[in-house]
Amino acid sequence: MDLYDENIARLIRHSLTGELSEQEWGELEAWLHDSEEHRVLFEKIKKEIRISSESSLFCSLNDEVAWLKFKTTARERKRRVYVRRMLTYAAVIVLPLAVVVGFWFLSQEKDTFPMASERVVKITPGRPRAVLITADQTVHELNGVQEQREIEVEKGVMIKQGGANLEYDSLVAPEQEVALAMNTLKVPRGGEFRLKLSDGTNVYLNSASELKYPVRFDEKERKVYLSGEAYFEVTKDLNRPFYVVMEEVQVRVYGTEFNVNTHQPGKVHTVLVDGKVGIKKRGMTEEVTMKPGQLASFDREAGTFEVKEVDVRQYVVWKDGYFTFENESLEQILNTLSLWYDVDVFFQSESAKQLVFTGYMKRYNDISEILDAITDVVGVNFTINGKTIIVSK
């Protein structure tokens, strides 16, 4: 069997989802013309994806919250997923002193020989897990089943961690201390975690998010650095404003509840639940003041803010264990699901990305229930291969 490198795997995947650039198409064409075996493999992969199918799972979405503007009703259907036979193509490149393991491909059963064992990967909802990196670069793995323990985050300074919570006691840096010891909490895809800062502020971190913060705040201000999505319940302190700093935006608060999300394509969303905040582009002095019930959307390309009234619950119920989508594009919905369930998503057509869906469901449900609800309403098909979801019309 010939050996194929990871780049070819990427080119084939992109060709199946219509995302190849002209340069990439030239690379793939050259590979296809290199040998007949390459072309046969490529045709088998295309055929397998084309004929793959699955029936839908019965899913009924209850009208669980009165404020929702919709109610999705799905008729009962029994589900059997006919998993197509898979043949593993291990793609490796033999290098001096190293072997780089490549990718997996779908294929058909050959002749009448028995199949190799199928590789079944279970897709599960996110769970409490994170990595804490202290100032001395010590790494601590955190999860939701650990019993209460203490972690040294600075010489002589201990914090508490138990289950999905990390708690810094009421610590204030002495006046003479110039450099604050910084900690970083990283939450991977398929994870979530809760953090209580030294001033009593609670932070709920969503999947694929990172927060950098001092072990102890000084007496002038409280400043943290965020990438990803987090919900803040900031302890009121009129003498020490609280700042959330992102790559392009800074939020200033004195004591309030709000959600910040940098995962939106080309946007940074700040939603104010209670209190008052000022938000501005970093490097600028002009600040936009927000009121409760407002969304401030920062356009990364234009460098401008748009502020509008919204139902804030749509943006914050994730921390309470729910998804809510209202006229949201499938591209954005699947992006959200990919972070929480730690899966990859491929659209076989660009038009499917723009379809919209409205729904409300529990975040800890099996992903198939959510996908079937979308199929019932929108009509797209989802094929699950390992930890990859393929979307087709």
Coordinates of all heavy atoms in Angstrom, one line a residue, residues 25-73:
W25 N -6.4 22.9 -5.3 CA -6.9 22.0 -6.3 C -5.8 21.5 -7.2 O -5.8 20.3 -7.7 CB -8.0 22.7 -7.2 CG -8.6 21.8 -8.2 CD1 -8.4 21.9 -9.6 CD2 -9.3 20.6 -8.0 NE1 -9.1 20.9 -10.2 CE2 -9.6 20.1 -9.3 CE3 -9.8 19.9 -6.9 CZ2 -10.4 18.9 -9.5 CZ3 -10.5 18.8 -7.1 CH2 -10.8 18.3 -8.4
G26 N -4.8 22.4 -7.6 CA -3.7 22.0 -8.4 C -2.9 20.9 -7.7 O -2.4 20.0 -8.3
E27 N -2.7 21.1 -6.4 CA -1.9 20.1 -5.6 C -2.6 18.7 -5.6 O -2.0 17.7 -5.8 CB -1.7 20.5 -4.2 CG -0.8 21.8 -4.0 CD -0.7 22.2 -2.6 OE1 -0.7 21.3 -1.7 OE2 -0.7 23.4 -2.3
L28 N -4.0 18.8 -5.4 CA -4.7 17.5 -5.4 C -4.7 16.8 -6.8 O -4.6 15.6 -6.9 CB -6.2 17.8 -5.0 CG -7.1 16.6 -4.9 CD1 -6.5 15.5 -3.9 CD2 -8.5 17.0 -4.5
E29 N -4.8 17.6 -7.8 CA -4.8 17.1 -9.2 C -3.5 16.4 -9.5 O -3.4 15.3 -10.0 CB -5.0 18.2 -10.2 CG -6.5 18.6 -10.4 CD -7.2 17.6 -11.3 OE1 -6.7 17.3 -12.4 OE2 -8.3 17.1 -10.8
A30 N -2.4 17.0 -9.0 CA -1.1 16.4 -9.2 C -1.0 15.1 -8.5 O -0.4 14.1 -9.0 CB 0.0 17.4 -8.7
W31 N -1.5 15.0 -7.3 CA -1.5 13.8 -6.5 C -2.3 12.7 -7.2 O -2.0 11.5 -7.3 CB -2.0 14.0 -5.1 CG -2.0 12.8 -4.2 CD1 -1.0 12.3 -3.6 CD2 -3.2 12.0 -3.9 NE1 -1.4 11.2 -2.8 CE2 -2.7 11.0 -3.0 CE3 -4.5 12.1 -4.2 CZ2 -3.6 10.1 -2.5 CZ3 -5.4 11.2 -3.7 CH2 -4.9 10.2 -2.9
L32 N -3.5 13.1 -7.7 CA -4.4 12.1 -8.4 C -3.7 11.5 -9.6 O -3.9 10.3 -10.0 CB -5.7 12.8 -8.7 CG -6.6 13.1 -7.6 CD1 -7.8 14.0 -8.1 CD2 -7.1 11.9 -6.9
H33 N -3.0 12.3 -10.4 CA -2.3 11.9 -11.6 C -1.0 11.1 -11.3 O -0.5 10.5 -12.2 CB -2.1 13.1 -12.5 CG -3.3 13.6 -13.2 ND1 -4.0 14.7 -12.7 CD2 -4.0 13.2 -14.3 CE1 -5.0 14.9 -13.5 NE2 -5.1 14.0 -14.5
D34 N -0.6 11.1 -10.1 CA 0.6 10.5 -9.7 C 0.6 9.0 -9.9 O 1.5 8.3 -10.2 CB 1.0 10.9 -8.3 CG 2.4 10.4 -8.0 OD1 3.4 10.7 -8.7 OD2 2.6 9.7 -6.9
S35 N -0.6 8.4 -9.5 CA -0.8 7.0 -9.6 C -2.3 6.6 -9.7 O -3.1 7.3 -9.2 CB -0.1 6.2 -8.5 OG -0.9 6.3 -7.3
E36 N -2.6 5.5 -10.3 CA -3.9 5.0 -10.4 C -4.5 4.7 -9.1 O -5.7 4.9 -8.8 CB -4.0 3.8 -11.3 CG -5.4 3.2 -11.6 CD -6.3 4.3 -12.3 OE1 -5.8 5.2 -13.0 OE2 -7.6 4.1 -12.1
E37 N -3.7 4.2 -8.2 CA -4.1 3.8 -6.8 C -4.7 5.1 -6.1 O -5.7 5.0 -5.4 CB -3.0 3.2 -6.0 CG -3.5 2.7 -4.6 CD -2.4 2.0 -3.9 OE1 -1.3 1.9 -4.4 OE2 -2.6 1.6 -2.7
H38 N -4.0 6.2 -6.3 CA -4.5 7.5 -5.7 C -5.9 7.8 -6.2 O -6.8 8.1 -5.4 CB -3.5 8.6 -6.0 CG -2.2 8.5 -5.4 ND1 -1.2 9.4 -5.6 CD2 -1.7 7.6 -4.5 CE1 -0.1 9.0 -4.9 NE2 -0.4 7.9 -4.2
R39 N -6.1 7.7 -7.5 CA -7.4 8.0 -8.0 C -8.5 7.1 -7.6 O -9.6 7.5 -7.3 CB -7.3 8.0 -9.6 CG -8.6 8.6 -10.2 CD -8.4 8.7 -11.7 NE -7.5 9.8 -12.0 CZ -7.9 11.1 -12.0 NH1 -9.1 11.4 -11.8 NH2 -7.0 12.1 -12.3
V40 N -8.2 5.8 -7.5 CA -9.2 4.8 -7.0 C -9.6 5.1 -5.6 O -10.7 5.0 -5.2 CB -8.6 3.3 -7.1 CG1 -9.5 2.3 -6.4 CG2 -8.4 3.0 -8.6
L41 N -8.6 5.4 -4.7 CA -8.9 5.7 -3.3 C -9.8 6.9 -3.2 O -10.8 6.9 -2.5 CB -7.6 6.0 -2.6 CG -7.7 6.5 -1.1 CD1 -8.5 5.5 -0.3 CD2 -6.3 6.8 -0.5
F42 N -9.5 8.0 -4.0 CA -10.3 9.2 -4.0 C -11.7 8.9 -4.4 O -12.7 9.4 -3.8 CB -9.6 10.2 -4.9 CG -10.4 11.5 -5.0 CD1 -10.4 12.3 -3.8 CD2 -11.0 12.0 -6.1 CE1 -11.1 13.5 -3.8 CE2 -11.7 13.2 -6.1 CZ -11.7 14.0 -5.0
E43 N -11.9 8.1 -5.4 CA -13.3 7.8 -5.9 C -14.0 7.0 -4.8 O -15.2 7.2 -4.7 CB -13.2 7.0 -7.2 CG -12.7 7.9 -8.4 CD -13.6 9.1 -8.6 OE1 -14.8 9.0 -8.5 OE2 -13.0 10.1 -9.0
K44 N -13.4 6.1 -4.2 CA -14.0 5.3 -3.1 C -14.5 6.2 -2.0 O -15.6 6.0 -1.4 CB -13.0 4.2 -2.6 CG -12.8 3.1 -3.5 CD -11.9 2.0 -2.8 CE -11.7 0.8 -3.7 NZ -10.8 -0.2 -3.1
I45 N -13.6 7.1 -1.6 CA -14.0 8.0 -0.5 C -15.2 8.9 -0.9 O -16.2 9.0 -0.1 CB -12.8 9.0 -0.2 CG1 -11.7 8.1 0.4 CG2 -13.3 10.0 0.8 CD1 -10.4 8.9 0.5
K46 N -15.3 9.4 -2.1 CA -16.4 10.2 -2.6 C -17.7 9.3 -2.6 O -18.8 9.8 -2.2 CB -16.1 10.7 -4.0 CG -15.1 11.9 -4.0 CD -15.3 12.7 -5.3 CE -15.1 11.8 -6.5 NZ -15.2 12.7 -7.8
K47 N -17.6 8.1 -3.1 CA -18.7 7.2 -3.2 C -19.3 6.9 -1.8 O -20.5 6.9 -1.5 CB -18.4 6.0 -3.9 CG -19.6 5.0 -4.1 CD -19.2 3.8 -4.8 CE -20.4 2.8 -5.0 NZ -20.0 1.6 -5.7
E48 N -18.4 6.6 -0.8 CA -18.8 6.2 0.5 C -19.6 7.4 1.2 O -20.6 7.2 1.8 CB -17.6 5.8 1.4 CG -18.0 5.3 2.7 CD -18.9 4.1 2.6 OE1 -18.7 3.3 1.7 OE2 -19.7 3.9 3.5
I49 N -19.0 8.6 1.0 CA -19.7 9.8 1.7 C -21.1 10.0 1.0 O -22.0 10.4 1.7 CB -18.8 11.0 1.6 CG1 -17.6 10.8 2.6 CG2 -19.5 12.3 1.9 CD1 -16.6 11.9 2.6
R50 N -21.1 9.8 -0.3 CA -22.4 10.1 -1.0 C -23.5 9.1 -0.6 O -24.6 9.5 -0.5 CB -22.1 10.0 -2.5 CG -23.3 10.4 -3.4 CD -22.9 10.6 -4.8 NE -22.3 9.4 -5.4 CZ -21.1 9.3 -5.7 NH1 -20.2 10.3 -5.6 NH2 -20.6 8.1 -6.2
I51 N -23.1 7.9 -0.3 CA -24.2 6.9 0.0 C -24.5 6.8 1.4 O -25.4 6.1 1.8 CB -23.8 5.5 -0.6 CG1 -22.6 5.0 0.1 CG2 -23.6 5.6 -2.1 CD1 -22.2 3.6 -0.4
S52 N -23.6 7.4 2.3 CA -23.8 7.3 3.7 C -25.1 7.9 4.1 O -25.5 9.0 3.6 CB -22.7 7.9 4.5 OG -21.5 7.2 4.3
S53 N -25.8 7.3 5.0 CA -27.1 7.9 5.4 C -27.4 7.4 6.8 O -26.9 6.5 7.3 CB -28.2 7.5 4.5 OG -28.4 6.1 4.5
E54 N -28.3 8.2 7.5 CA -28.8 7.7 8.8 C -30.2 8.3 9.0 O -30.6 9.3 8.5 CB -27.9 8.2 9.9 CG -27.9 9.7 10.2 CD -27.2 10.1 11.4 OE1 -27.3 9.4 12.4 OE2 -26.4 11.0 11.4
S55 N -31.0 7.5 9.6 CA -32.4 7.9 9.9 C -32.4 8.7 11.1 O -31.4 8.8 11.9 CB -33.3 6.7 10.1 OG -32.9 5.9 11.1
S56 N -33.5 9.4 11.4 CA -33.5 10.4 12.5 C -34.0 9.7 13.8 O -34.7 8.7 13.8 CB -34.5 11.5 12.1 OG -34.0 12.2 11.0
L57 N -33.6 10.4 14.9 CA -34.0 9.9 16.2 C -35.2 10.7 16.7 O -35.3 11.9 16.5 CB -32.8 10.2 17.2 CG -33.1 9.9 18.6 CD1 -33.3 8.5 18.9 CD2 -31.9 10.5 19.4
F58 N -36.1 9.9 17.3 CA -37.3 10.6 17.9 C -36.8 11.7 18.9 O -36.0 11.4 19.7 CB -38.2 9.6 18.6 CG -39.1 10.3 19.6 CD1 -40.2 11.0 19.2 CD2 -38.9 10.1 21.0 CE1 -41.0 11.6 20.1 CE2 -39.7 10.7 21.9 CZ -40.8 11.5 21.4
C59 N -37.3 12.9 18.7 CA -36.9 14.0 19.6 C -38.1 14.9 19.8 O -38.7 15.3 18.9 CB -35.7 14.8 19.0 SG -35.2 16.2 20.0
S60 N -38.4 15.1 21.1 CA -39.4 16.0 21.4 C -38.9 17.1 22.3 O -38.3 16.8 23.3 CB -40.6 15.3 22.1 OG -41.6 16.2 22.5
L61 N -39.0 18.3 21.8 CA -38.5 19.5 22.6 C -39.6 20.1 23.4 O -40.6 20.6 22.8 CB -37.9 20.5 21.7 CG -36.7 20.0 20.8 CD1 -36.2 21.1 19.9 CD2 -35.6 19.5 21.7
N62 N -39.5 20.0 24.7 CA -40.6 20.6 25.5 C -40.5 22.1 25.6 O -39.4 22.6 25.6 CB -40.5 20.0 26.9 CG -40.8 18.5 26.9 OD1 -41.6 18.0 26.2 ND2 -40.0 17.7 27.7
D63 N -41.6 22.7 25.8 CA -41.6 24.2 26.0 C -41.2 24.4 27.5 O -42.1 24.8 28.3 CB -42.9 24.7 25.7 CG -42.9 26.2 25.6 OD1 -41.8 26.8 25.6 OD2 -44.0 26.8 25.6
E64 N -40.0 24.3 27.8 CA -39.6 24.3 29.2 C -39.5 25.6 29.9 O -39.6 25.8 31.1 CB -38.2 23.6 29.4 CG -38.2 22.1 28.9 CD -36.9 21.4 29.1 OE1 -36.4 21.5 30.3 OE2 -36.4 20.8 28.2
V65 N -39.3 26.6 29.1 CA -39.2 28.0 29.7 C -40.3 28.9 29.0 O -40.4 29.0 27.8 CB -37.8 28.5 29.4 CG1 -37.7 30.0 30.0 CG2 -36.8 27.6 30.1
A66 N -41.0 29.6 29.9 CA -42.1 30.4 29.4 C -41.7 31.5 28.4 O -42.5 31.9 27.6 CB -42.9 31.0 30.6
W67 N -40.5 32.0 28.6 CA -40.1 33.2 27.8 C -39.8 32.8 26.4 O -39.6 33.7 25.5 CB -38.9 33.9 28.4 CG -37.7 33.1 28.7 CD1 -37.3 32.4 29.8 CD2 -36.6 32.9 27.7 NE1 -36.1 31.8 29.6 CE2 -35.7 32.0 28.4 CE3 -36.4 33.3 26.4 CZ2 -34.5 31.6 27.8 CZ3 -35.2 32.9 25.8 CH2 -34.3 32.0 26.5
L68 N -39.6 31.5 26.1 CA -39.3 31.1 24.7 C -40.4 31.5 23.7 O -41.6 31.4 24.0 CB -39.1 29.6 24.6 CG -37.8 29.1 25.3 CD1 -37.7 27.6 25.3 CD2 -36.6 29.7 24.7
K69 N -40.0 31.9 22.5 CA -41.0 32.3 21.6 C -41.4 31.2 20.6 O -42.1 31.5 19.6 CB -40.4 33.5 20.7 CG -40.0 34.7 21.6 CD -39.4 35.7 20.7 CE -39.0 36.9 21.5 NZ -38.3 38.0 20.7
F70 N -41.0 30.0 20.9 CA -41.3 29.0 20.0 C -41.6 27.7 20.7 O -41.3 27.5 21.9 CB -40.2 28.8 19.0 CG -38.9 28.4 19.7 CD1 -38.6 27.1 20.0 CD2 -38.1 29.4 20.2 CE1 -37.5 26.7 20.7 CE2 -36.9 29.0 20.9 CZ -36.7 27.7 21.2
K71 N -42.0 26.7 20.0 CA -42.2 25.3 20.5 C -42.0 24.4 19.4 O -42.7 24.4 18.4 CB -43.5 25.1 21.2 CG -43.7 23.8 21.8 CD -45.0 23.6 22.5 CE -45.2 22.3 23.2 NZ -46.5 22.1 23.8
T72 N -41.0 23.5 19.5 CA -40.7 22.6 18.5 C -41.3 21.2 18.8 O -41.1 20.7 19.9 CB -39.2 22.4 18.3 OG1 -38.6 23.6 18.1 CG2 -38.8 21.4 17.2
T73 N -42.1 20.7 17.9 CA -42.7 19.4 18.1 C -42.3 18.5 17.0 O -42.4 18.8 15.8 CB -44.3 19.5 18.0 OG1 -44.7 20.5 19.0 CG2 -44.9 18.2 18.3

